[in-house]
Amino acid sequence: MIVLKFGGSSVADAARMREAAELVRAALPRSPLVVLSAMGKTTNGLFEAAKTAEAGDLAGALARQRDLMAAHRCAAEDLFAGAVPEALDGSLTDLFGELELLLRGVAMLRELSPRSMDAIASLGERLSTRIFAAFTGGAWVDARGVVRTDAVFGEAVPQSAAIRELAAAQVAPLLAPGQAVVTQGYIGGTEDGLTTTLGRGGSDYSAALLGAALGAEEVQIWTDVEGVLTCDPRIVPDALPIPDLSFAEAAELAAFGAKVLHPATIQPAVEARIPVTVRHTGKPHGRFTTIAAEVRTGRPITALASRGPVTVLTVSSSRMLAQSGFLARLFEVFGRRGVSVDLVATAEVSVSLTVEADVPLKALVQDLAAFATVEAHEGRAIIAAVGERLKSTPGLGARLLTSLGDINVEMISMGANEINLSLVVKQEEAAEALRRLHRVLAGGGA
Ligand code: ADP
Ligand code: ASP
Ligand code: MG
């Protein structure tokens, strides 16, 4: 069997859904499991409706609900040329009724817990899959009964062993050549039947989890670009598609901000050694990227990515050298505050590290000030250059740093896996830094 995952832009309206349905039809001999995102920007719309309700503006929230309803009904009407099947019509009515009830509850309590938010966010994928399953004649599966997660709402952690069992019981029997099975990305459920989500952009992750659970031959990620590109095309318009990518490179790129893949996507596929391809729904015969364990690209730099804003903390202690256990003490502070540290660079008397922008900075600085001097610089960005021969290519670091010219690099870190060179610059200079570094990559200078 294979997994085909379509992102939001690939199912944004009736025309896009027809293209996606055509690709599913072509894949029918390979027993496809179709994993869908919500239509277009529906998830954003659901978040806005929920926040509007939380602010006590019920009328505003319900107006957004009606806009979403109109868009979904319009797509269904178009796909079925005005004759929407009764069962689909009933499902849409039920789902929008559920959304209205949830929004009324949030508005009444003026309280939006992550748990309520997940219940509301789940509607996007449940709606898109109902329409798509009806249109393609595929069997509809409720992912909340298959993608078992813990109860960390908004960022739930999938439980692979349970997912394997549930997929074997509920999805595998439906898979057959000539038959499509349609389910939701992004959403899951706890053992108690509560609705969860895997975090924004989580549909890729769902596709990889289900592919791994079912032993797929391939996981196809259908999106709006011709694969993973050498840089974010919104920043570097002449970024080029990468034909093949190693799992390690793809995982680094995803973790360092290449939005094309959810950061955790790769893991379940790597473990199951399933190739992942990234393809353009609008250009199915165009170029695409294959990500596979066997791929050894051997390139010095494969691609660039950036993530920000982040905060750089520089912790100094003149007595540091003499103090064994200094680093243990330092990291204990971050551990206790539940803050994860990203990049680390150490010098004789100081340690620089990056943390996300939303950490409890004041509390951290206070804790650290008990045994060291701390400086915090907010509004920074991490730029990652990823490539398998990065470390063994003489002079590459010099070429990259030279290309940056007057852009100040505040921190440099070579990932432990040696395929990621990370630089920290001011957030407002990150785009220009990417463009300059990309010239080195594209010009063969790398
Ligand atoms: P989908 O809705 O299909 O999941 P996303 O919007 O999540 O699609 O991801 C695709 C987008 O990721 C592209 O349109 C592109 O703007 C952005 N992107 C960022 N970095 C990269 C990259 N290195 N390669 C390709 N796309 C990238
Ligand atoms: N619909 C979800 C989101 O917008 C998940 C996804 O598209 O991957 O975040
Ligand atoms: Mg995505």
Side-chain angles (χ1 to χ4, degrees):
M1 58 88 55
I2 64 164
V3 174
L4 285 84
K5 177 262 172 177
F6 293 96
S9 54
S10 301
V11 291
D13 53 29
R16 299 281 90 71
M17 279 206 186
R18 281 200 182 86
E19 287 174 1
E22 191 49 44
L23 292 166
V24 171
R25 205 185 54 74
L28 281 178
R30 300 175 76 188
S31 311
L33 171 65
V34 181
V35 176
L36 287 195
S37 286
M39 290 176 64
K41 305 256 177 268
T42 298
T43 310
N44 290 353
L46 290 165
F47 270 79
E48 281 162 23
K51 298 228 155 80
T52 309
E54 185 190 22
D57 178 5
L58 178 62
L62 293 181
R64 283 167 200 271
Q65 183 249 15
R66 280 193 299 275
D67 289 347
L68 289 172
M69 186 154 63
H72 284 80
R73 289 217 177 269
C74 173
E77 292 284 336
D78 185 328
L79 289 171
F80 290 98
V84 176
E86 226 170 88
L88 173 59
D89 193 64
S91 305
L92 296 181
T93 304
D94 289 349
L95 291 169
F96 279 108
E98 185 178 328
L99 176 57
E100 180 175 338
L101 218 61
L102 287 164
L103 292 173
R104 283 186 185 279
V106 169
M108 189 170 284
L109 296 168
R110 296 215 186 169
E111 181 187 70
L112 180 62
S113 65
R115 174 165 157 176
S116 308
M117 190 59 245
D118 275 358
I120 292 171
S122 76
L123 265 313
E125 271 71 9
R126 289 159 66 205
L127 285 160
S128 65
T129 49
R130 281 292 183 194
I131 297 173
F132 196 76
F135 183 62
T136 54
W140 186 88
V141 171
D142 192 333
R144 295 173 300 172
V146 180
V147 180
R148 174 66 55 75
T149 70
D150 68 8
V152 180
F153 297 97
E155 205 76 49
V157 179
Q159 298 170 344
S160 324
I163 295 173
R164 209 172 309 121
E165 271 177 35
L166 292 164
Q170 294 176 42
V171 184
L174 301 173
L175 294 168
Q179 165 75 47
V181 180
V182 179
T183 195
Q184 307 80 42
Y186 178 54
I187 71 173
T190 66
E191 201 175 351
D192 301 333
L194 296 171
T195 301
T196 55
T197 65
L198 305 179
R200 294 302 308 270
S203 294
D204 302 324
Y205 196 9
S206 305
L209 285 164
L210 290 167
L214 292 159
E217 288 162 40
E218 181 185 345
V219 173
Q220 301 184 342
I221 307 279
W222 290 91
T223 180
D224 59 355
V225 277
E226 285 179 280
V228 181
L229 310 180
T230 47
C231 195
D232 186 334
R234 292 162 300 180
I235 299 172
V236 179
D238 56 352
L240 300 162
I242 304 166
D244 51 350
L245 205 59
S246 71
F247 271 127
E249 287 174 330
E252 288 294 321
L253 285 174
F256 282 91
K259 191 201 162 208
V260 65
L261 291 172
H262 182 286
T265 313
I266 300 303
Q267 201 54 36
V270 183
E271 279 164 16
R273 305 190 79 75
I274 298 169
V276 176
T277 55
V278 181
R279 300 161 187 260
H280 194 321
T281 311
K283 297 179 190 165
H285 304 296
R287 292 177 287 186
F288 62 94
T289 299
T290 303
I291 306 167
E294 304 69 54
V295 171
R296 280 285 153 271
T297 62
R299 281 180 296 248
I301 308 182
T302 299
L304 303 168
S306 79
R307 188 153 61 73
V310 298
T311 300
V312 176
L313 289 172
T314 302
V315 186
S316 318
S317 163
S318 52
R319 287 172 298 130
M320 181 173 155
L321 267 185
Q323 283 179 12
S324 66
F326 178 83
L327 287 177
R329 209 168 154 199
L330 177 67
F331 285 110
E332 191 270 328
V333 170
F334 291 91
R336 186 154 34 82
R337 293 269 171 202
V339 170
S340 75
V341 172
D342 223 330
L343 303 184
V344 183
T346 54
E348 189 103 322
V349 291
S350 67
V351 181
S352 290
L353 21 86
T354 63
V355 293
E356 292 297 316
D358 59 359
V359 300
L361 192 58
K362 243 178 131 177
L364 267 181
V365 170
Q366 241 165 35
D367 290 358
L368 295 169
F371 59 96
T373 320
V374 196
E375 262 181 63
H377 295 283
E378 296 181 84
R380 302 307 196 251
I382 300 175
I383 293 187
V386 172
E388 289 200 333
R389 271 198 300 118
L390 201 62
K391 198 185 174 197
S392 57
T393 307
L396 182 57
R399 282 208 294 282
L400 290 174
L401 291 175
T402 307
S403 77
L404 287 175
D406 57 356
I407 296 177
N408 191 31
V409 176
E410 301 183 3
M411 192 174 154
I412 301 179
S413 170
M414 185 86 185
N417 58 6
E418 305 183 349
I419 67 161
N420 178 354
L421 177 73
S422 299
L423 312 172
V424 174
V425 299
K426 289 203 175 69
Q427 166 89 1
E428 63 267 24
E429 292 182 325
E432 180 56 25
L434 282 171
R435 285 190 281 269
R436 292 184 188 178
L437 292 169
H438 194 265
R439 269 179 235 139
V440 179
L441 185 161

